[in-house]
């Protein structure tokens, strides 16, 4: 879950309109031809050489002898988790909108077909698709997934679909865009399945589990299975709400209004009473109390999730004009202020501990011992030293900024704050944004930083000249992993693994290397294509 693919809040009509308008001047004719040629060459490489059956992973060696998503992928696997196949489909549609070149539409169709072939019968998606079938996928889970010490979500094959990391949401939004583009019947049935998946998986109280259909497994590491809890982590609910709003506006499905409202109200129901008026990463379905998940996610309040949920409540107020969504925001802000770390414990601008113990308001810090998934273990205590580095125990939370935004919204009338809301506007009057990958997002595959620079002439010239003869931008593959060599030993290997991203040689978790080799990065392709689209089409920078 280390991927950074954040969308900041739900889109209003005004924001969607802003995305469609030009900001930068168009390139000169000669520059335009070079931009178009560079885009075509880069896309031809990705479609002809990098894709597997129309789908994509995150990065690869130039000869594709090793390929990675969040973990190393087998030769037949593609990634759904962003920035994977769905993100690439969105980029192809963005390029099609900028150029009207049918080759980009054809690439989007290939990506969509790859996703549809891997769509779970329930209508959602797993993190990954193995084009070689179920047996091959199970072998991968029993080898690479099972031995990725810190990647507990991959250590067990559930056989269902997940909302984690926006994979299902992004794939669903992509199918919606593709269907609306030309209203081709091929996409209506899988789109309907995706919509029904979101509806079927929603609890009566409006929340969503992390995975669905619900698992009946006993769980991992001696804990109950956490995947059925109401999940706020990684913006599960916010992404589903966004997708349903898009469908409500563009497809005219009024039946989606009640699920949307129930989902927003679940945020209110799960906010805990003062003085600890925050949220956890996930909440028990019956008690609505914060619950533990992975072994490094204790039963606790989460400061960064609380901040994200406050942001969602601001969005809900803008969408509805209903003040109930911001009524208890001051309580949440007061709680966040009360758990701010003293200056001496703050790290690199990180002002708050990630986890707070219910009842005591004491910070909980995450540590580990051992060297691999067999002999290792995670634990939490009150010691802020030597915490694990792959899951931050400290967060940057801008309480003052949120308080300013609350004061601004609270001073506005409900009519003013909700003007242009797609929920309140006449159905069909608010379309989808012209561009999706040019929104305020960060698309990182752990190798590319995902931060798109402005389309300045020197940047564009560098991208044109930097595309190599094969048609890709050589990128240092900073995120790599140990190859699978067999299950970990029960004996702890020599060395220090408490604060490393990876354990001993049997650990298949990704880590950042000091000696990267050059390779192919999907994230870098998406980022660079976004810059070229900006230069070509005058689209706004994030």
């Amino acid at each position: 879950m280390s991927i950074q693919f954040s969308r900041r809040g739900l889109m209003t009509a005004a924001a969607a309109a802003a995305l469609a308008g030009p900001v930068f001047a168009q390139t000169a004719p000669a520059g335009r031809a070079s931009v178009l040629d560079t885009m075509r060459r880069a896309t031809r490489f990705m479609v002809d050489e990098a894709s597997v059956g129309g789908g994509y992973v995150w990065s690869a060696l130039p000869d594709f002898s090793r390929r990675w998503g969040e973990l190393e992928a087998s030769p037949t696997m593609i990634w759904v988790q962003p920035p994977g196949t769905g993100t690439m489909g969105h980029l192809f549609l963005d390029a099609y909108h900028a150029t009207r070149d049918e080759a980009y539409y054809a690439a989007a169709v290939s990506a969509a077909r790859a996703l549809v072939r891997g769509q779970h019968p329930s209508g959602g998606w797993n993190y990954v698709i193995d084009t070689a079938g179920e047996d091959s996928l199970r072998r991968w889970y029993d080898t690479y997934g099972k031995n990725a010490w810190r990647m507990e979500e991959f250590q067990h094959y559930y056989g269902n679909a997940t909302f984690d990391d926006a994979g299902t949401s992004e794939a669903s939004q992509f199918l919606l865009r593709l269907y609306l583009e030309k209203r081709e019947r091929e996409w209506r049935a899988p789109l309907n399945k995706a919509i029904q998946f979101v509806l079927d998986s929603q609890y009566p109280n409006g929340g969503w589990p992390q995975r669905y259909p619900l698992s009946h497994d006993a769980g991992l590491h001696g804990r109950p299975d956490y995947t059925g809890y109401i999940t706020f982590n990684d913006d599960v609910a916010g992404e589903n709400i966004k997708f349903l709003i898009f469908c409500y506006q563009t497809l005219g499905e009024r039946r989606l209004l009640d699920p949307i409202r129930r989902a927003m109200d679940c945020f209110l129901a799960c906010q805990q009473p003062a003085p600890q008026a925050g949220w956890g990463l996930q909440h028990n379905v019956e008690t609505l109390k914060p619950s533990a998940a992975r072994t490094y996610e204790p039963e606790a309040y989460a400061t960064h999730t609380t901040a994200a949920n406050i942001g969602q409540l601001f969005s809900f107020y803008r969408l509805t004009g209903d003040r109930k969504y911001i009524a208890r925001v001051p309580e949440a802000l007061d709680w966040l202020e009360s758990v701010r770390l003293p200056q001496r414990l703050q790290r690199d601008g990180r002002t708050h501990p990630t986890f707070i113990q219910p009842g005591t308001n004491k910070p909980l810090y995450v540590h580990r011992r051992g060297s691999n998934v067999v002999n290792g273990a995670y634990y939490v205590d009150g010691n802020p030293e030597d915490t694990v580095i792959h899951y931050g125990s400290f967060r940057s939370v801008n309480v003052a900024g949120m308080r300013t935004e609350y004061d601004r919204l609270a001073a506005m009338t409900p009519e003013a704050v909700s003007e242009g809301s797609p929920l309140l506007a006449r159905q069909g009057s608010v379309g989808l944004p012209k561009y999706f990958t040019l929104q305020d997002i960060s698309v990182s595959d752990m190798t590319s930083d995902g931060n798109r620079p402005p389309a300045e002439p020197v940047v564009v010239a560098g991208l044109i000249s930097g595309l190599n003869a094969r048609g890709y931008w050589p990128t240092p593959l900073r995120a790599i992993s140990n190859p699978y060599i067999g299950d970990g030993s029960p004996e702890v290997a020599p060395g220090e693994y408490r604060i490393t991203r990876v354990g001993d040689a049997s650990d298949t978790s990704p880590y950042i290397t000091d000696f990267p080799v050059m390779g192919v990065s999907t994230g870098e392709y998406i980022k660079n294509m976004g810059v070229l689209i900006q230069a070509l089409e005058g689209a706004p920078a994030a």
Side-chain angles (χ1 to χ4, degrees):
M1 299 183 189
S2 61
I3 181 172
Q4 299 173 26
F5 191 84
S6 59
R7 296 175 176 88
R8 298 174 179 89
L10 297 167
M11 183 155 299
T12 64
L19 281 169
V23 172
F24 298 111
Q26 290 193 359
T27 54
R32 179 181 178 85
S34 296
V35 168
L36 288 170
D37 179 66
T38 302
M39 291 172 63
R40 288 192 202 101
R41 289 175 53 220
T43 301
R44 189 179 305 119
F45 171 85
M46 296 300 290
V47 171
D48 293 347
E49 296 196 46
S51 73
V52 172
Y56 301 85
V57 290
W58 292 4
S59 60
L61 295 178
D63 63 358
F64 297 102
S65 58
R66 295 187 72 186
R67 305 159 68 247
W68 291 270
E70 194 166 15
L71 291 178
E72 183 164 0
S74 71
T76 55
M77 287 176 67
I78 62 175
W79 230 254
V80 180
Q81 182 186 15
T85 303
T87 322
M88 288 290 284
H90 278 303
L91 184 278
F92 293 143
L93 284 182
D94 289 351
Y96 177 63
H97 289 167
T99 66
R100 308 314 296 183
D101 185 336
E102 290 292 331
Y104 294 112
Y105 184 79
V109 166
S110 293
R113 287 174 177 160
L115 288 170
V116 170
R117 286 192 294 269
Q119 189 174 19
H120 190 271
S122 64
W125 282 268
N126 190 20
Y127 298 105
V128 297
I129 296 168
D130 195 324
T131 62
E134 185 82 357
D135 289 344
S136 179
L137 181 60
R138 286 183 178 276
R139 283 194 297 273
W140 182 86
Y141 269 94
D142 287 340
T143 53
Y144 286 92
K146 176 183 174 183
N147 284 280
W149 184 13
R150 68 180 177 87
M151 311 299 294
E152 293 180 9
E153 63 273 31
F154 288 104
Q155 291 172 9
H156 176 69
Y157 179 59
Y158 289 91
N160 55 11
T162 182
F163 287 117
D164 188 34
D165 284 345
T168 286
S169 176
E170 184 183 54
S172 301
Q173 292 175 36
F174 170 48
L175 289 182
L176 174 65
R177 286 186 78 196
L178 192 61
Y179 171 71
L180 294 173
E181 192 67 43
K182 297 186 179 182
R183 299 277 176 169
E184 292 175 329
R185 292 182 61 187
E186 178 178 0
W187 312 117
R188 191 60 202 249
L191 172 59
N192 287 345
K193 280 181 64 177
I195 295 171
Q196 196 60 46
F197 175 77
V198 176
L199 300 182
D200 290 344
S201 58
Q202 187 179 31
Y203 291 122
N205 62 20
W208 279 282
Q210 187 197 75
R211 302 193 69 102
Y212 188 83
L214 297 177
S215 169
H216 299 291
D217 293 329
L220 293 173
H221 308 289
R223 290 188 174 201
D225 177 50
Y226 66 88
T227 60
Y229 295 147
I230 295 169
T231 303
F232 296 108
N233 191 21
D234 291 317
D235 204 19
V236 163
E239 286 293 322
N240 286 344
I241 292 169
K242 182 195 297 183
F243 173 59
L244 293 180
I245 290 175
F246 282 159
C247 292
Y248 165 74
Q249 262 297 325
T250 58
L251 301 177
E253 296 203 29
R254 296 191 61 82
R255 68 185 177 122
L256 303 182
L257 280 178
D258 177 66
I260 292 168
R261 295 279 186 169
R262 285 191 290 116
M264 295 190 294
D265 287 350
C266 186
F267 281 72
L268 303 180
C270 287
Q271 185 179 6
Q272 299 302 290
Q276 291 186 301
W279 291 264
L281 296 174
Q282 52 283 310
H283 288 237
N284 183 281
V285 179
E286 286 78 29
T287 67
L288 303 185
K289 298 292 185 182
S291 299
R294 295 176 293 183
T295 59
Y296 42 84
E297 293 170 331
E299 179 180 309
Y301 296 89
T303 55
H304 64 298
T305 301
T306 296
N309 284 5
I310 290 170
Q312 290 291 359
L313 293 177
F314 291 157
S315 294
F316 300 161
Y317 182 41
R318 297 185 195 101
L319 285 166
T320 65
D322 192 332
R323 287 189 178 272
K324 72 179 182 180
Y325 292 113
I326 61 170
R328 295 191 59 209
V329 165
E331 294 177 44
L333 293 174
D334 289 345
W335 174 70
L336 285 173
E337 192 59 50
S338 74
V339 296
R340 179 189 294 271
L341 288 166
Q343 191 69 37
R344 61 183 175 81
L345 292 180
Q346 294 182 20
R347 314 284 177 85
D348 300 322
R350 295 177 176 88
T351 54
H352 288 68
T354 296
F355 295 121
I356 298 293
Q357 189 173 51
T360 69
N361 245 16
K362 293 180 179 178
L364 296 174
Y365 299 103
V366 182
H367 311 272
R368 74 179 185 184
R369 56 178 170 260
S371 67
N372 62 47
V373 71
V374 175
N375 61 53
Y378 287 87
Y379 62 97
V380 298
D381 60 22
N383 180 9
E385 302 302 323
D386 293 333
T387 58
V388 296
I389 64 170
H390 65 79
Y391 197 102
S393 284
F394 303 87
R395 304 285 169 153
S396 178
V397 179
N398 185 359
V399 178
M402 288 186 287
R403 212 178 279 279
T404 297
E405 179 63 4
Y406 168 78
D407 291 341
R408 187 185 73 82
L409 292 174
M412 299 174 67
T413 65
E415 294 76 18
V417 80
S418 61
E419 182 179 0
S421 164
L423 270 186
L424 303 181
R426 177 175 53 84
Q427 277 184 287
S429 62
V430 179
L432 296 182
K434 182 177 181 179
Y435 299 112
F436 268 56
T437 60
L438 271 65
Q439 293 179 32
D440 187 12
I441 63 176
S442 175
V443 184
S444 173
D445 58 8
M446 299 191 296
T447 280
S448 169
D449 63 13
N451 296 314
R452 189 174 57 253
E456 298 171 349
V458 65
V459 175
V460 174
L463 294 181
I464 292 172
S465 64
L467 193 71
N468 68 12
R470 282 181 65 187
Y472 68 91
W473 285 282
T475 305
L477 301 185
R478 298 185 303 111
I480 61 170
S481 61
N482 295 325
Y484 172 69
I485 59 171
D487 291 349
S489 168
E491 301 298 324
V492 177
E496 178 56 76
Y497 304 103
R498 288 181 304 160
I499 55 174
T500 58
R501 288 181 179 269
V502 68
D504 62 34
S506 69
D507 184 2
T508 55
S509 301
Y511 65 94
I512 305 303
T513 177
D514 293 329
F515 307 99
V517 299
M518 303 302 285
V520 180
S521 164
T522 299
E524 197 73 3
Y525 166 81
I526 293 167
K527 178 179 74 173
N528 293 345
M529 285 287 287
V531 174
L532 297 178
I533 290 172
Q534 289 175 359
L536 183 69
E537 197 60 25

